[in-house]
Amino acid sequence: EGRYRVVLPGVHLRYEPLPNLVTRASWSTGVGRPGFGSIIPNDQVNDDTMRVTSSNPNLGPQRADNYDLTAEYYFRPQGMISVGAFRKDIRDYIYTDSSQIIGNGQDNGFDGLYAGYTLTTQRNGGSARIDGLEFSYQQQFTFLPGLLKGLSGMINYTVLDTHGNYGGTTRRGSGQIAGFVPRTANASLSW
């Protein structure tokens, strides 16, 4: 059982310098709690690879400061083009650590078993930064004839630069933080 209270302040600004052009700037804070499977005590042993994968009941949440700038231009007859830049500064980052080797002796955390096995677990440590650019275009094709005027399309493209420092081991460059894809694109056509 555990309990804590989190206050998440933020500031959001919106300004329309020209008709149909909306700019936004924001700073917000966030918290990312670990999944239950990561904190419920559980060990999985693979004797073939000599690896123990262990959950971490002491794993805490990661916290972030988020900075966003966006410009959106709305045009007739129902369309929008936008560009945005963002930064996420994360502290107490949750990362996977496979750098430990289980030692000898009864007090090795496994009642003396698995000496020499690699221990893989998740930890909080260091920091991570995600910088990104996002481009988006949406259009309803009302200029098409008949039933086709109900068509609309969307294109989105995002570029990420991620890096982190996990308590002394620095990884830098695109795609270095697990779970982040350096470039993504989406396109859809709907009616």
Side-chain angles (χ1 to χ4, degrees):
E1 181 178 324
R3 182 183 304 190
Y4 56 90
R5 181 170 295 173
V6 178
V7 177
L8 302 171
V11 176
H12 306 278
L13 304 171
R14 179 184 182 278
Y15 178 62
E16 192 170 336
L18 301 169
N20 303 325
L21 178 64
V22 177
T23 58
R24 302 174 197 274
S26 70
W27 165 75
S28 62
T29 55
V31 63
R33 294 179 177 89
F36 285 120
S38 300
I39 59 175
I40 295 173
N42 185 30
D43 298 323
Q44 296 177 359
V45 179
N46 186 325
D47 291 316
D48 294 333
T49 61
M50 294 184 62
R51 179 177 304 276
V52 176
T53 302
S54 183
S55 61
N56 182 355
N58 296 318
L59 194 60
Q62 57 190 16
R63 301 174 188 282
D65 287 308
N66 309 299
Y67 308 91
D68 295 273
L69 294 172
T70 306
E72 303 165 342
Y73 181 72
Y74 295 87
F75 53 88
R76 296 187 185 278
Q78 301 177 341
M80 181 206 41
I81 188 166
S82 71
V83 62
F86 58 88
R87 170 171 283 172
K88 314 290 182 203
D89 288 322
I90 304 171
R91 59 194 174 281
D92 296 327
Y93 186 72
I94 297 173
Y95 69 99
T96 300
D97 180 8
S98 295
S99 66
Q100 305 296 312
I101 303 297
I102 299 172
N104 295 318
Q106 287 299 112
D107 60 348
N108 72 355
F110 298 96
D111 296 326
L113 300 172
Y114 314 120
Y117 281 45
T118 300
L119 176 63
T120 298
T121 190
Q122 288 190 314
R123 301 190 188 284
N124 293 100
S127 60
R129 172 173 282 173
I130 297 104
D131 292 315
L133 290 173
E134 184 171 55
F135 306 93
S136 182
Y137 174 78
Q138 298 176 26
Q139 174 76 53
Q140 187 169 1
F141 305 123
T142 57
F143 54 85
L144 293 174
L147 291 176
L148 294 178
K149 72 171 43 175
L151 282 175
S152 62
M154 183 277 300
I155 296 173
N156 174 282
Y157 181 69
T158 304
V159 178
L160 297 179
D161 178 43
T162 65
H163 53 274
N165 181 338
Y166 312 118
T169 302
T170 302
R171 297 179 185 178
R172 191 166 176 83
S174 293
Q176 291 299 312
I177 298 176
F180 289 88
V181 179
R183 288 174 175 66
T184 57
N186 300 293
S188 69
L189 189 63
S190 59
W191 184 77

